[in-house]
Amino acid sequence: MDVRSKSRYPEAYAHWKRDPEGFWGEAALAIDWIEPPKKIFDAKAGVYGCWFVGGVCNTCFNAVDRHVASGRGSQAAIVYDSPVTGTKRTYSYNDLFGEVRTLAAILRDFGVDKGDRVILYMPMVPEALFAMLACARIGAIHSVVFGGFAPNELATRIDDAKPKLVITASCGVEPTRVVPYKPLLDEAIKLSAAKPETLLLLQRPQLEASMVPGRDHDWAQLRAAALRDRKTADCVPVEATDPLYILYTSGTTGRPKGVVRDNGGHMVALKWSMPNLYGVAPGEVYWAASDIGWVVGHSYIVYAPLLHGCTTIMFEGKPVGTPDAGAFWRVIAEHGVAALFTAPTAFRAIKKEDPQGKLLAGHSLKKFRTLFLAGERADPDTIQWAERMLKVPVIDHWWQTETGWAIAGNPVGLGALPVKYGSPTVAMPGYDVVIVDEQAKPVPDGKMGSIVVRLPLPPSCLPTLWQQDERFKESYLAEFPGYYKTADAGFRDEDGYLFIMGRTDDIINVAGHRLSTGGMEEVLSAHPDVAECAVIGMKDDLKGEVPCGFIVLKAGVARPAHEIEKEIVTMVRDRIGPVAAFKLAITVNRLPKTRSGKILRGTMKKIADREPWSMPATIDDPAVLDEIGTALKERGLGG
Ligand code: COA
Ligand code: AMP
């Protein structure tokens, strides 16, 4: 059977493979360039080549100004829907244009210039989106830090990005509590060596923050003054290869990786994805239920929908509890959403609360065409449940912070391919995905291996890590020469469908959030009573995975283990943040190790997940694994 017969996908993929520069050159025509690229791809530039070299452009212009100029000014650009604060507001493209050029002028007044970094530590409010676009407008490089990270993580990012200015809000609003952001930021600045000169603060009515005189400035006051003085800033021309943003993501150590996104390639790939992968048209409503702190938020709350002239939804709430598991249906119906993109964990949460879908009643989803899932493996149960409830195609797609858009997906715009549960379908044009063994040799269909992408990577993918070319090469390019290492493992079937089975490094995926167990182990080892430790990602029905820490106490520690375990849980929350969802530390007498001293985390995980496991041949003392099983059983886990 040729499963692709009705889709234009084979044609598009073959076009790209035959003539990559022709393919992307054509896609680039959908962007307004100040000066068109001189070369579509320059293999000699950058670490592995650069896209659209010589092109001069501005991302904010393409996301905002050009829609105003072409008559889309009165169309809604952003719908802000915040059940946690009881607020709904709509901003037209005209409004967005006004807000962004005013804020850009304020940033310029503080001396923020092309190439300067600006860190954003913001909740899901429209001002966060204005701030990202205002940076893009003046050629400054934004770096958004997710609000669920603790001061220590924020400080690491401040020290790496060395921002000239930081933009924040007084608080975030979670369903059960108001989270004061400003004290977290103050603490982070105290911890950091690269102290930003200026802080722009959005005071929210739920909790006002105190200000440091001279350093901190009130956004609303500056906005009012700028409007009164009619201050605006125009778009600054930037090279296609200039960075638009840095987004930090978990690496294999506690030190996050600063993924760089350029301007030109990013715009071209995202714009291509909207009609071809997501099948949406300008003017339609697109909703990515994520957070601007993650890559999904960057690409599909902010940039792609606006580049495409869609209406984007900024939802400050959760799939459940704000107020109930019908929140997503209400938003889809009320705002006429055509496509929703979220993580499977959100649907698992809804399914758990409302398995029969009773809360769908009364919501008209007639404009809703497709549900897209990514961020973690989409389990077939969840996909099938969503299909039954919503009666629309449910499309899994696979990508990473590093790529900025899908590596594999089911391109509904080109004509959807048949769904195979458990597979995010096929490689997108631009990606030559290969499954290889440890010697970088391609393996036959159906065989598991490391998933790599033949260089060069397509537009939008990271050209490097922020000021760390060597770390970029070492982390992604060294192990499999000629390829980019995704650090995911999986296989391809005889129809070319990819199956993504898990990471090959220490990264775990907790409720669609990417976290490093190595980073958590660094925190655990810092406890004065801990001799050694291991953190594993344990299967969880709701969040996909949750971390579980095992600790061995130093000889002579007489304090009760449960006290130390509690301190450890608090330490991870304080140093990494609540987003780590680290709630379980278990004290054991020893950790299972190989004879060469390597901790057998993989086997521990299998025991915790109640999966079949075999005794590793190199184990030092097999009895230790029984001890791990017993320790888990005592907590009602594993087996
Ligand atoms: N600021 C401050 N704290 C935050 C935060 C933010 N922006 N976002 C989350 N947190 C806190 C939460 O309050 C929670 O704290 P708690 O331990 O005190 O309860 C903790 O971080 C974990 O948050 P979260 O992962 O959101 O778990 P949850 O139990 O509150 O909700 C889900 C579970 C499944 C409903 C939720 O994870 C979700 O909606 N996921 C959607 C998927 C998604 O956004 N994926 C991103 C990539 S696409
Ligand atoms: P992030 O960088 O946070 O987007 O996380 C990227 C990682 O999430 C990938 O390397 C995968 O391990 C995982 N991931 C993302 N999407 C999928 C998917 N559709 N199926 C399986 N794993 C996924």
Side-chain angles (χ1 to χ4, degrees):
M1 176 188 64
D2 180 7
V3 291
R4 300 173 180 174
S5 53
K6 287 196 190 108
S7 171
R8 286 184 291 120
Y9 164 78
E11 216 175 288
Y13 194 79
H15 173 189
W16 163 72
K17 215 148 186 205
R18 206 171 48 241
D19 179 15
E21 293 188 31
F23 181 91
W24 289 117
E26 221 169 86
L29 298 175
I31 296 302
D32 277 4
W33 299 89
I34 299 165
E35 275 176 44
K38 294 192 174 50
K39 275 189 176 172
I40 298 302
F41 184 72
D42 182 351
K44 294 205 180 76
V47 178
Y48 63 85
C50 285
W51 290 98
F52 308 113
V53 171
V56 178
C57 56
N58 185 283
T59 297
C60 180
F61 179 85
N62 277 277
V64 185
D65 302 39
R66 77 157 167 175
H67 300 309
V68 172
S70 69
R72 218 173 262 290
S74 55
Q75 180 200 307
I78 309 171
V79 172
Y80 168 55
D81 187 311
S82 168
V84 288
T85 61
T87 318
K88 285 179 206 168
R89 275 202 304 269
T90 299
Y91 296 85
S92 67
Y93 272 98
N94 282 333
D95 298 334
L96 180 60
F97 180 54
E99 293 294 344
V100 170
R101 55 188 201 149
T102 306
L103 179 57
I106 294 170
L107 297 181
R108 292 218 70 148
D109 280 354
F110 282 117
V112 178
D113 234 318
K114 185 168 154 180
D116 287 338
R117 274 80 58 211
V118 175
I119 280 196
L120 273 65
Y121 189 59
M122 297 280 284
M124 279 289 288
V125 291
E127 286 81 359
L129 193 151
F130 305 158
M132 291 165 80
L133 289 168
C135 290
R137 191 169 189 85
I138 58 174
I141 303 165
H142 62 69
S143 187
V144 183
V145 180
F146 177 62
F149 280 123
N152 188 52
E153 289 287 320
L154 181 52
T156 320
R157 287 151 174 82
I158 292 175
D159 278 340
D160 197 67
K162 300 184 179 53
K164 185 151 212 177
L165 183 142
V166 177
I167 306 183
T168 193
S170 53
C171 64
V173 185
E174 285 289 288
T176 52
R177 67 190 195 284
V178 171
V179 184
Y181 275 22
K182 180 66 180 2
L184 299 176
L185 176 58
D186 286 338
E187 175 66 19
I189 294 176
K190 214 184 281 167
L191 292 172
S192 63
K195 314 246 181 254
E197 294 156 23
T198 311
L199 202 149
L200 192 57
L201 174 72
L202 176 75
Q203 293 282 17
R204 301 188 77 188
Q206 292 75 19
L207 181 77
E208 296 240 330
S210 62
M211 316 243 289
V212 175
R215 187 197 66 183
D216 300 354
H217 302 266
D218 183 276
W219 181 326
Q221 281 175 13
L222 293 177
R223 177 179 175 275
L227 286 173
R228 188 193 58 224
D229 300 342
R230 294 178 195 280
K231 278 191 185 167
T232 59
D234 287 336
C235 292
V236 169
V238 298
E239 295 287 327
T241 49
D242 281 340
L244 169 70
Y245 69 75
I246 308 166
L247 179 56
Y248 288 90
T249 190
S250 300
T252 40
T253 67
R255 231 171 97 231
K257 293 170 169 165
V259 168
V260 172
R261 191 84 58 220
D262 66 12
N263 276 275
H266 178 242
M267 280 196 280
V268 172
L270 293 196
K271 178 79 171 109
W272 184 90
S273 75
M274 289 302 276
N276 294 297
L277 171 53
Y278 296 100
V280 290
E284 289 197 301
V285 183
Y286 187 94
W287 179 22
S290 176
D291 186 287
I292 45 131
W294 307 116
V295 69
V296 173
H298 279 64
S299 294
Y300 291 102
I301 295 173
V302 184
Y303 288 109
L306 297 179
L307 288 168
H308 200 46
C310 289
T311 301
T312 188
I313 308 262
M314 278 202 102
F315 177 68
E316 192 182 25
K318 301 257 174 174
V320 293
T322 60
D324 57 28
F328 274 24
W329 323 142
R330 174 189 68 75
V331 172
I332 293 173
E334 203 170 309
H335 306 301
V337 171
L340 167 64
F341 175 174
T342 191
T345 188
F347 268 74
R348 286 198 296 270
I350 298 170
K351 180 172 79 163
K352 192 166 163 227
E353 297 260 309
D354 181 22
Q356 312 300 330
K358 290 192 177 123
L359 294 168
L360 269 159
H363 296 298
S364 159
L365 308 191
K366 59 180 188 299
K367 289 198 175 157
F368 187 51
R369 288 199 302 274
T370 329
L371 170 64
F372 293 91
L373 299 176
E376 54 172 325
R377 191 174 154 74
D379 51 292
D381 265 7
T382 303
I383 296 186
Q384 286 161 351
W385 181 83
E387 283 174 339
R388 278 201 309 279
M389 293 300 138
L390 298 172
K391 301 185 175 48
V392 297
V394 179
I395 305 292
D396 179 16
H397 58 327
W398 166 57
W399 51 299
Q400 309 183 309
T401 304
E402 287 84 346
T403 64
W405 70 295
I407 309 170
N410 193 342
V412 295
L414 292 173
L417 303 170
V419 168
K420 291 194 191 185
Y421 296 112
S423 166
T425 318
V426 290
M428 287 296 96
Y431 295 96
D432 186 355
V433 177
V434 185
I435 319 287
V436 295
D437 63 16
E438 279 159 14
Q439 280 75 45
K441 294 243 158 52
V443 301
D445 287 344
K447 194 154 186 285
M448 280 276 285
S450 292
I451 313 181
V452 297
V453 180
R454 198 185 304 279
L455 293 171
L457 289 167
S460 161
C461 292
L462 80 173
T464 189
L465 294 173
W466 177 246
Q467 295 187 330
Q468 289 193 322
D469 285 354
E470 282 313 311
R471 189 177 179 203
F472 171 63
K473 287 183 209 163
E474 209 179 285
S475 310
Y476 299 101
L477 310 183
E479 193 172 338
F480 303 104
Y483 297 106
Y484 161 83
K485 176 175 89 170
T486 66
D488 277 311
F491 63 94
R492 186 204 315 266
D493 76 3
E494 65 287 359
D495 293 318
Y497 280 54
L498 293 164
F499 290 76
I500 317 303
M501 306 309 290
R503 296 281 302 195
T504 57
D505 56 12
D506 75 334
I507 301 291
I508 58 168
N509 215 305
V510 182
H513 311 317
R514 174 168 157 178
L515 295 156
S516 153
T517 52
M520 294 184 213
E521 288 179 3
E522 283 176 21
V523 177
L524 268 53
S525 327
H527 189 288
D529 293 338
V530 170
E532 57 178 347
C533 66
V535 175
I536 58 166
M538 205 166 57
K539 249 191 212 157
D540 181 79
D541 284 348
L542 176 65
K543 297 195 176 192
E545 277 182 309
V546 287
C548 170
F550 293 86
I551 51 171
V552 177
L553 300 182
K554 284 182 183 159
V557 172
R559 298 172 55 213
H562 68 88
E563 250 178 42
I564 298 168
E565 289 167 5
K566 226 167 122 191
E567 285 164 13
I568 279 190
V569 168
T570 309
M571 272 173 82
V572 177
R573 195 176 171 92
D574 289 349
R575 300 213 188 162
I576 296 179
V579 67
F582 186 93
K583 310 244 154 119
L584 185 63
I586 302 178
T587 308
V588 289
N589 288 330
R590 45 199 188 145
L591 294 170
K593 289 184 187 167
T594 62
R595 282 190 284 275
S596 60
K598 229 174 135 209
I599 298 172
L600 291 159
R601 294 181 184 78
T603 315
M604 292 166 76
K605 176 174 167 54
K606 285 199 172 124
I607 296 173
D609 289 347
R610 295 193 174 97
E611 274 180 13
W613 57 277
S614 50
M615 187 63 69
T618 54
I619 194 162
D620 185 34
D621 180 353
V624 188
L625 287 172
D626 290 337
E627 292 168 20
I628 295 293
T630 308
L632 282 161
K633 270 195 205 130
E634 279 167 6
R635 312 283 172 121
L637 299 162

